[in-house]
Amino acid sequence: MKRMFRTCVLALPIVMLAAVPASADVKARSKTQMKFEGMLGRMMGMFGGKAAKDGIESTTSIKGDREVTLIGQSMHIIDLSEEKIYDVDLKKKSYTVMTFDEMRRKMQEAQARAQKDAGKAEGGQQKPEKELEVDFDVKKTGQKKQLAGYDTEQAIVTITVREKGKTLEEGGGLVMTIDNWLGPKIPAMKEVADFQMRFFQKLNGSQATGMSADQMAAAYALFPMMKDAMERWQKEAGDLDGTPLASTMTVEAVKSPEDMQREQENGGGGGLTGMFAKKLMKHDDAKPRATIVTMNHEVLEVSTSVTADDLAIPAGFKEKK
């Protein structure tokens, strides 16, 4: 469980920040907290420890094609030029290496497993895919506050994925709400988003979601609408006027009347919301709309001083085969 939290922390800024080209070195300290609802939320509370309750602080350093993220006694390195990912255990003085090709293969295997599991959960029946529409809305509330030494203003982004030709209430769907506090455009923070976007695009083509490989594969196989929402956010995020210094992303599943009736008759999910939403929500929750996950990300400190030591595996560490 703790590893899943760490993985999400490493990737989360790709969801929260708009990606534009930049060239400044950057070191950013931030805090990330995730809350899963329903059964998965209870598991997180039981096994996630302090990370599940209080969130995780991390420090990310970027210079050129290399990014290093420190979380406690762990160091995660992404090198775009080498196309390698290093996971360093500072306590055990060892590290492992994974190539981008190996990572792609793991993602494909995870997605295949998720699709297979989804088929089993639905009794082996293949349901026809429904044509979807995605609505995008930005609302500036006029609220202001100071974060990390910068003046910010609130901008709430709402992305709705629904069946084409039907309202959300008629056909069910998904709602992703991203509550941003926008500061001035900070080149260093744009570099963080730009690097992570380059990484995920290099790894997955155009798909960059802010999830771990296993999470992304499972979410897309069991809940395809999340992919549509993420892709629309990536397309529109660059138009936000400023740098998000704090963001809260909430993903909600909305059941159609047919979904509600099917659950009452069969005691299970189905329809647009699918098994992914069902597993994340309480079985006794009969409401048509329920939260799946909430992710909070806040930038605590930003600087442009990056040293060679910030980017290197410490001397004497041995590779673990």
Side-chain angles (χ1 to χ4, degrees):
M1 291 296 172
K2 290 181 180 179
R3 183 180 180 185
M4 189 170 99
F5 268 91
R6 290 196 299 269
T7 305
C8 293
V9 169
L10 295 172
L12 185 59
I14 196 69
V15 176
M16 302 302 194
L17 298 174
V20 298
S23 59
D25 297 346
V26 59
K27 180 186 289 186
R29 185 169 62 90
S30 60
K31 183 175 182 179
T32 302
Q33 187 173 24
M34 300 185 68
K35 181 182 179 183
F36 292 89
E37 302 294 339
M39 179 181 68
L40 187 54
R42 293 191 290 274
M43 291 175 62
M44 286 293 179
M46 187 178 300
F47 300 109
K50 190 174 184 295
K53 182 179 179 181
D54 301 330
I56 291 178
E57 283 198 21
S58 61
T59 300
T60 298
S61 301
I62 295 176
K63 188 179 183 68
D65 286 335
R66 196 171 178 92
E67 177 195 71
V68 178
T69 301
L70 284 173
I71 303 175
Q73 292 296 309
S74 299
M75 174 187 284
H76 185 80
I77 302 173
I78 299 172
D79 196 302
L80 298 181
S81 60
E82 296 179 0
E83 295 199 356
K84 291 181 179 179
I85 302 167
Y86 299 83
D87 278 303
V88 185
D89 189 322
L90 298 176
K91 188 174 182 180
K92 296 181 179 180
K93 297 185 178 182
S94 63
Y95 65 92
T96 58
V97 184
M98 180 184 295
T99 67
F100 284 13
D101 283 340
E102 290 171 333
M103 186 63 176
R104 291 187 193 99
R105 185 166 62 251
K106 283 182 176 292
M107 292 173 63
Q108 291 168 356
E109 292 171 353
Q111 186 164 6
R113 287 195 302 269
Q115 290 172 336
K116 184 177 180 180
D117 291 342
K120 289 181 179 179
E122 296 292 346
Q125 298 180 357
Q126 294 293 329
K127 296 187 176 182
E129 292 187 4
K130 297 182 179 180
E131 192 173 356
L132 302 175
E133 289 185 326
V134 183
D135 304 319
F136 187 90
D137 177 72
V138 179
K139 179 182 179 182
K140 291 191 175 181
T141 66
Q143 297 296 312
K144 300 178 184 296
K145 66 179 179 180
Q146 194 169 75
L147 291 169
Y150 296 94
D151 293 327
T152 68
E153 62 176 341
Q154 188 180 37
I156 300 176
V157 176
T158 304
I159 304 171
T160 303
V161 185
R162 55 182 173 78
E163 185 177 348
K164 187 174 182 178
K166 293 185 178 182
T167 66
L168 184 65
E169 291 72 21
E170 291 172 341
L174 174 144
V175 178
M176 178 184 294
T177 305
I178 306 172
D179 186 347
N180 295 291
W181 289 91
L182 301 175
K185 291 188 176 181
I186 306 171
M189 289 309 299
K190 295 297 186 183
E191 179 69 10
V192 176
D194 178 61
F195 181 94
Q196 293 180 356
M197 182 66 78
R198 286 191 291 142
F199 166 55
F200 280 101
Q201 287 181 340
K202 196 166 189 177
L203 195 65
N204 310 309
S206 63
Q207 299 175 9
T209 68
M211 293 182 178
S212 69
D214 287 347
Q215 286 176 302
M216 181 171 64
Y220 284 0
L222 302 177
F223 208 161
M225 286 180 295
M226 188 170 290
K227 179 175 181 292
D228 293 86
M230 291 291 187
E231 288 181 346
R232 183 61 182 269
W233 170 235
Q234 293 158 28
K235 180 180 178 181
E236 304 284 353
D239 292 334
L240 290 180
D241 186 19
T243 299
L245 293 175
S247 297
T248 298
M249 184 176 78
T250 304
V251 180
E252 299 173 285
V254 181
K255 303 174 189 176
S256 68
E258 289 79 8
D259 292 337
M260 295 290 291
Q261 183 177 356
R262 188 181 298 111
E263 288 193 5
Q264 291 176 358
E265 294 174 351
N266 303 327
L272 280 176
T273 52
M275 288 301 297
F276 181 68
K278 176 189 171 184
K279 287 183 177 294
L280 297 183
M281 292 184 285
K282 295 180 180 178
H283 292 289
D284 58 355
D285 190 351
K287 297 179 181 179
R289 185 164 178 157
T291 300
I292 299 172
V293 61
T294 302
M295 295 186 284
N296 297 294
H297 182 76
E298 181 177 354
V299 177
L300 303 176
E301 185 180 6
V302 182
S303 71
T304 56
S305 176
V306 179
T307 68
D309 289 341
D310 291 327
L311 301 170
I313 297 174
F317 280 40
K318 296 182 179 180
E319 182 179 353
K320 185 178 179 181
K321 299 291 187 178

